[in-house]
Amino acid sequence: AQTVTQSQPEMSVQEAETVTLSCTYDTSESDYYLFWYKQPPSRQMILVIRQEAYKQQNATENRFSVNFQKAAKSFSLKISDSQLGDAAMYFCAYRRRDNYGQNFVFGPGTRLSVLP
Amino acid sequence: GAVVSQHPSWVICKSGTSVKIECRSLDFQATTMFWYRQFPKQSLMLMATSNEGSKATYEQGVEKDKFLINHASLTLSTLTVTSAHPEDSSFYICSALKSVNEQYFGPGTRLTVT
Protein backbone atom coordinates (compact mmCIF):
# COMPACT_ATOMS: atom_id res chain seq x y z
CA ALA A 1 0.00 0.00 0.00
CA GLN A 2 1.08 3.52 -0.68
CA THR A 3 2.10 5.74 2.21
CA VAL A 4 2.90 9.42 2.46
CA THR A 5 5.15 10.83 5.18
CA GLN A 6 5.64 14.41 6.27
CA SER A 7 8.39 14.49 8.87
CA GLN A 8 7.83 18.09 9.98
CA PRO A 9 4.70 18.43 12.14
CA GLU A 10 5.30 22.18 12.47
CA MET A 11 7.35 24.78 10.66
CA SER A 12 7.66 28.52 10.91
CA VAL A 13 8.98 31.13 8.54
CA GLN A 14 9.51 34.85 8.67
CA GLU A 15 7.33 36.90 6.36
CA ALA A 16 9.00 37.41 2.96
CA GLU A 17 11.40 34.54 3.57
CA THR A 18 11.49 31.11 1.92
CA VAL A 19 10.48 27.83 3.51
CA THR A 20 10.58 24.23 2.32
CA LEU A 21 8.16 21.55 3.46
CA SER A 22 9.22 17.92 3.12
CA CYS A 23 7.28 14.96 1.84
CA THR A 24 8.30 11.42 1.07
CA TYR A 25 6.14 8.62 -0.25
CA ASP A 26 6.32 4.94 -0.84
CA THR A 27 4.93 3.26 -3.94
CA SER A 28 5.74 0.51 -6.37
CA GLU A 29 3.93 2.31 -9.18
CA SER A 30 5.80 4.21 -11.87
CA ASP A 31 2.99 6.51 -12.99
CA TYR A 32 1.16 8.63 -10.45
CA TYR A 33 0.31 12.13 -9.33
CA LEU A 34 1.54 14.09 -6.35
CA PHE A 35 -0.19 17.05 -4.78
CA TRP A 36 0.21 19.68 -2.13
CA TYR A 37 -2.99 20.88 -0.52
CA LYS A 38 -3.38 23.79 1.86
CA GLN A 39 -5.93 23.88 4.67
CA PRO A 40 -6.23 27.34 6.26
CA PRO A 41 -8.15 27.97 9.49
CA SER A 42 -11.39 27.98 7.49
CA ARG A 43 -10.66 24.27 6.89
CA GLN A 44 -11.40 24.55 3.17
CA MET A 45 -8.92 22.32 1.35
CA ILE A 46 -7.21 24.16 -1.49
CA LEU A 47 -4.98 22.67 -4.16
CA VAL A 48 -1.60 24.39 -4.13
CA ILE A 49 0.32 22.49 -6.78
CA ARG A 50 0.24 19.23 -8.70
CA GLN A 51 3.02 17.12 -10.23
CA GLU A 52 2.75 14.29 -12.73
CA ALA A 53 5.35 11.63 -12.06
CA TYR A 54 6.21 11.11 -15.71
CA LYS A 55 7.17 14.76 -16.06
CA GLN A 56 10.73 15.45 -15.04
CA GLN A 57 10.23 19.19 -14.88
CA ASN A 58 9.30 20.47 -11.45
CA ALA A 59 5.90 22.12 -11.25
CA THR A 60 5.66 25.78 -10.29
CA GLU A 61 2.71 28.00 -9.42
CA ASN A 62 3.72 31.58 -8.76
CA ARG A 63 5.50 31.58 -5.36
CA PHE A 64 5.08 27.82 -4.96
CA SER A 65 7.40 25.27 -6.49
CA VAL A 66 8.26 21.67 -5.89
CA ASN A 67 11.44 19.63 -5.90
CA PHE A 68 10.38 16.25 -7.25
CA GLN A 69 12.99 13.52 -6.86
CA LYS A 70 11.37 10.39 -8.28
CA ALA A 71 14.18 7.99 -7.49
CA ALA A 72 14.30 9.17 -3.90
CA LYS A 73 10.48 9.33 -3.72
CA SER A 74 10.67 12.83 -2.41
CA PHE A 75 8.33 15.72 -3.16
CA SER A 76 9.12 18.91 -1.26
CA LEU A 77 7.25 22.20 -1.48
CA LYS A 78 9.08 25.51 -1.54
CA ILE A 79 7.20 28.67 -0.67
CA SER A 80 9.02 31.84 -1.66
CA ASP A 81 8.32 35.34 -0.35
CA SER A 82 6.10 33.90 2.38
CA GLN A 83 2.99 35.85 3.19
CA LEU A 84 0.80 35.88 6.28
CA GLY A 85 -1.94 34.22 4.26
CA ASP A 86 0.28 31.21 3.69
CA ALA A 87 -0.19 30.17 7.31
CA ALA A 88 -2.08 26.88 7.19
CA MET A 89 -1.83 23.12 7.39
CA TYR A 90 -0.16 21.68 4.33
CA PHE A 91 -0.88 18.15 3.21
CA CYS A 92 1.11 16.16 0.70
CA ALA A 93 -0.96 13.62 -1.25
CA TYR A 94 -0.46 10.81 -3.75
CA ARG A 95 -2.73 9.22 -6.32
CA ARG A 96 -2.24 6.49 -8.84
CA ARG A 97 -2.69 7.63 -12.42
CA ASP A 98 -4.66 4.83 -13.95
CA ASN A 99 -7.74 4.37 -11.87
CA TYR A 100 -10.58 6.80 -11.34
CA GLY A 101 -11.71 4.87 -8.31
CA GLN A 102 -8.34 4.94 -6.61
CA ASN A 103 -8.35 7.16 -3.58
CA PHE A 104 -5.92 9.88 -2.68
CA VAL A 105 -3.43 9.07 0.07
CA PHE A 106 -2.69 12.00 2.38
CA GLY A 107 0.27 12.64 4.61
CA PRO A 108 -0.17 13.68 8.25
CA GLY A 109 0.34 17.35 7.47
CA THR A 110 2.70 20.17 8.39
CA ARG A 111 1.45 23.21 10.22
CA LEU A 112 3.11 26.33 8.83
CA SER A 113 3.24 29.53 10.82
CA VAL A 114 4.27 32.80 9.20
CA LEU A 115 5.83 35.32 11.54
CA PRO A 116 5.39 39.03 10.84
CA GLY B 1 -11.12 25.56 -10.75
CA ALA B 2 -14.40 24.05 -9.79
CA VAL B 3 -16.86 24.45 -6.95
CA VAL B 4 -18.10 21.85 -4.53
CA SER B 5 -20.69 22.79 -1.95
CA GLN B 6 -21.54 21.02 1.25
CA HIS B 7 -24.65 21.43 3.35
CA PRO B 8 -25.06 22.03 6.17
CA SER B 9 -21.82 23.68 7.22
CA TRP B 10 -22.51 22.76 10.81
CA VAL B 11 -25.15 20.74 12.58
CA ILE B 12 -25.99 19.82 16.14
CA CYS B 13 -28.12 16.77 16.71
CA LYS B 14 -29.21 14.68 19.65
CA SER B 15 -27.83 11.26 20.32
CA GLY B 16 -29.84 8.57 18.55
CA THR B 17 -31.03 10.76 15.70
CA SER B 18 -29.86 10.71 12.10
CA VAL B 19 -28.34 13.54 10.12
CA LYS B 20 -27.83 13.91 6.38
CA ILE B 21 -24.97 15.83 4.78
CA GLU B 22 -25.15 16.81 1.13
CA CYS B 23 -22.23 17.25 -1.24
CA ARG B 24 -22.80 18.89 -4.61
CA SER B 25 -20.52 19.59 -7.54
CA LEU B 26 -21.90 22.89 -8.82
CA ASP B 27 -20.22 23.34 -12.20
CA PHE B 28 -19.11 19.88 -13.24
CA GLN B 29 -20.27 16.29 -13.19
CA ALA B 30 -18.56 13.90 -10.83
CA THR B 31 -18.78 10.17 -11.27
CA THR B 32 -16.70 9.73 -8.15
CA MET B 33 -16.92 11.55 -4.84
CA PHE B 34 -15.04 10.88 -1.63
CA TRP B 35 -16.10 11.29 1.98
CA TYR B 36 -13.47 12.07 4.58
CA ARG B 37 -13.48 12.53 8.30
CA GLN B 38 -11.02 14.83 10.01
CA PHE B 39 -10.25 14.90 13.71
CA PRO B 40 -8.72 18.04 15.25
CA LYS B 41 -5.14 18.64 14.18
CA GLN B 42 -5.09 15.45 12.13
CA SER B 43 -5.06 14.55 8.49
CA LEU B 44 -8.02 13.53 6.38
CA MET B 45 -9.20 9.99 6.89
CA LEU B 46 -11.00 8.49 3.91
CA MET B 47 -14.29 6.94 4.91
CA ALA B 48 -15.71 5.85 1.59
CA THR B 49 -15.65 6.28 -2.15
CA SER B 50 -18.98 7.15 -3.67
CA ASN B 51 -19.66 6.19 -7.28
CA GLU B 52 -22.70 7.40 -9.16
CA GLY B 53 -25.20 4.65 -9.76
CA SER B 54 -23.46 2.03 -7.68
CA LYS B 55 -22.78 1.13 -4.08
CA ALA B 56 -20.18 3.04 -2.16
CA THR B 57 -16.87 1.43 -1.29
CA TYR B 58 -16.13 1.75 2.41
CA GLU B 59 -12.71 1.80 3.99
CA GLN B 60 -11.80 -0.82 6.53
CA GLY B 61 -13.26 -0.06 9.93
CA VAL B 62 -16.03 2.23 8.64
CA GLU B 63 -19.50 0.90 9.40
CA LYS B 64 -21.53 0.96 6.21
CA ASP B 65 -24.82 0.66 8.12
CA LYS B 66 -23.97 3.65 10.22
CA PHE B 67 -22.62 5.90 7.49
CA LEU B 68 -25.03 5.56 4.57
CA ILE B 69 -23.82 7.00 1.29
CA ASN B 70 -26.01 7.63 -1.72
CA HIS B 71 -24.67 8.99 -5.00
CA ALA B 72 -27.95 9.49 -6.79
CA SER B 73 -26.76 11.79 -9.56
CA LEU B 74 -23.59 13.05 -11.17
CA THR B 75 -23.70 16.17 -9.02
CA LEU B 76 -24.95 14.96 -5.66
CA SER B 77 -23.72 12.57 -3.00
CA THR B 78 -25.17 12.32 0.48
CA LEU B 79 -23.78 10.96 3.73
CA THR B 80 -26.28 10.01 6.40
CA VAL B 81 -25.01 9.38 9.90
CA THR B 82 -27.59 7.07 11.42
CA SER B 83 -28.27 6.76 15.14
CA ALA B 84 -25.58 9.31 15.85
CA HIS B 85 -23.56 9.15 19.05
CA PRO B 86 -21.21 11.69 20.62
CA GLU B 87 -18.19 9.80 19.24
CA ASP B 88 -19.47 10.56 15.74
CA SER B 89 -18.87 14.24 16.38
CA SER B 90 -16.27 15.33 13.88
CA PHE B 91 -15.55 17.39 10.79
CA TYR B 92 -16.75 15.68 7.62
CA ILE B 93 -15.38 16.71 4.24
CA CYS B 94 -16.49 15.61 0.81
CA SER B 95 -14.64 15.94 -2.45
CA ALA B 96 -15.57 15.44 -6.08
CA LEU B 97 -13.39 14.17 -8.86
CA LYS B 98 -13.49 16.29 -11.99
CA SER B 99 -10.81 14.22 -13.69
CA VAL B 100 -8.30 11.59 -12.65
CA ASN B 101 -6.06 14.19 -11.04
CA GLU B 102 -8.48 16.97 -10.20
CA GLN B 103 -10.10 16.64 -6.79
CA TYR B 104 -12.13 19.55 -5.45
CA PHE B 105 -13.19 19.72 -1.85
CA GLY B 106 -16.32 20.93 -0.17
CA PRO B 107 -15.99 23.37 2.73
CA GLY B 108 -16.77 20.68 5.29
CA THR B 109 -19.50 19.99 7.83
CA ARG B 110 -18.96 20.17 11.55
CA LEU B 111 -21.17 17.63 13.30
CA THR B 112 -21.77 17.82 17.01
CA VAL B 113 -23.80 15.08 18.66
CA THR B 114 -25.11 15.90 22.12
Side-chain angles (χ1 to χ4, degrees):
Chain A
Q2 296 84 13
T3 58
V4 177
T5 302
Q6 293 176 251
S7 60
Q8 307 151 316
E10 296 184 358
M11 292 281 285
S12 63
V13 62
Q14 208 73 35
E15 195 176 5
E17 296 295 307
T18 296
V19 65
T20 298
L21 307 184
S22 301
C23 172
T24 58
Y25 57 95
D26 185 26
T27 183
S28 58
E29 303 291 329
S30 60
D31 205 2
Y32 47 86
Y33 300 102
L34 295 165
F35 309 82
W36 278 98
Y37 285 93
K38 168 185 177 180
Q39 188 179 41
S42 68
R43 302 190 78 169
Q44 170 74 61
M45 293 284 286
I46 302 166
L47 176 66
V48 175
I49 200 165
R50 172 172 49 218
Q51 174 80 41
E52 297 175 60
Y54 69 89
K55 290 185 176 178
Q56 293 186 343
Q57 186 172 6
N58 290 323
T60 63
E61 285 288 341
N62 301 312
R63 298 182 295 108
F64 299 88
S65 61
V66 298
N67 183 5
F68 173 47
Q69 301 290 327
K70 191 172 185 179
K73 297 181 182 175
S74 169
F75 183 60
S76 61
L77 174 70
K78 185 172 83 171
I79 306 174
S80 304
D81 186 25
S82 296
Q83 301 175 359
L84 295 177
D86 295 333
M89 281 290 290
Y90 286 82
F91 294 101
C92 179
Y94 162 99
R95 187 171 201 256
R96 266 170 52 183
R97 179 182 172 85
D98 62 350
N99 188 338
Y100 258 82
Q102 180 67 36
N103 58 284
F104 289 69
V105 180
F106 286 87
T110 296
R111 181 173 299 280
L112 178 66
S113 301
V114 181
L115 308 174
Chain B
V3 181
V4 174
S5 70
Q6 215 172 313
H7 178 80
S9 56
W10 61 273
V11 58
I12 302 173
C13 71
K14 295 196 173 189
S15 187
T17 63
S18 296
V19 61
K20 180 185 286 188
I21 303 170
E22 291 187 350
C23 178
R24 294 180 185 273
S25 55
L26 298 185
D27 51 359
F28 66 98
Q29 293 185 329
T31 305
T32 300
M33 293 184 175
F34 299 104
W35 285 96
Y36 298 89
R37 184 173 180 175
Q38 187 178 33
F39 292 102
K41 298 186 178 181
Q42 292 190 23
S43 187
L44 280 67
M45 181 189 78
L46 180 69
M47 298 176 66
T49 302
S50 170
N51 296 298
E52 188 268 338
S54 64
K55 290 184 178 181
T57 303
Y58 290 83
E59 294 300 298
Q60 193 171 9
V62 177
E63 298 175 60
K64 63 179 69 175
D65 294 330
K66 180 167 190 59
F67 298 99
L68 300 179
I69 291 172
N70 183 22
H71 196 151
S73 75
L74 288 172
T75 59
L76 173 64
S77 177
T78 60
L79 168 68
T80 301
V81 183
T82 62
S83 186
H85 291 286
E87 56 265 30
D88 299 324
S89 298
S90 192
F91 192 69
Y92 293 87
I93 305 175
C94 74
S95 71
L97 217 54
K98 187 176 180 181
S99 70
V100 68
N101 67 345
E102 292 181 277
Q103 175 179 215
Y104 294 94
F105 288 85
T109 297
R110 182 176 299 282
L111 170 64
T112 301
V113 184
T114 61

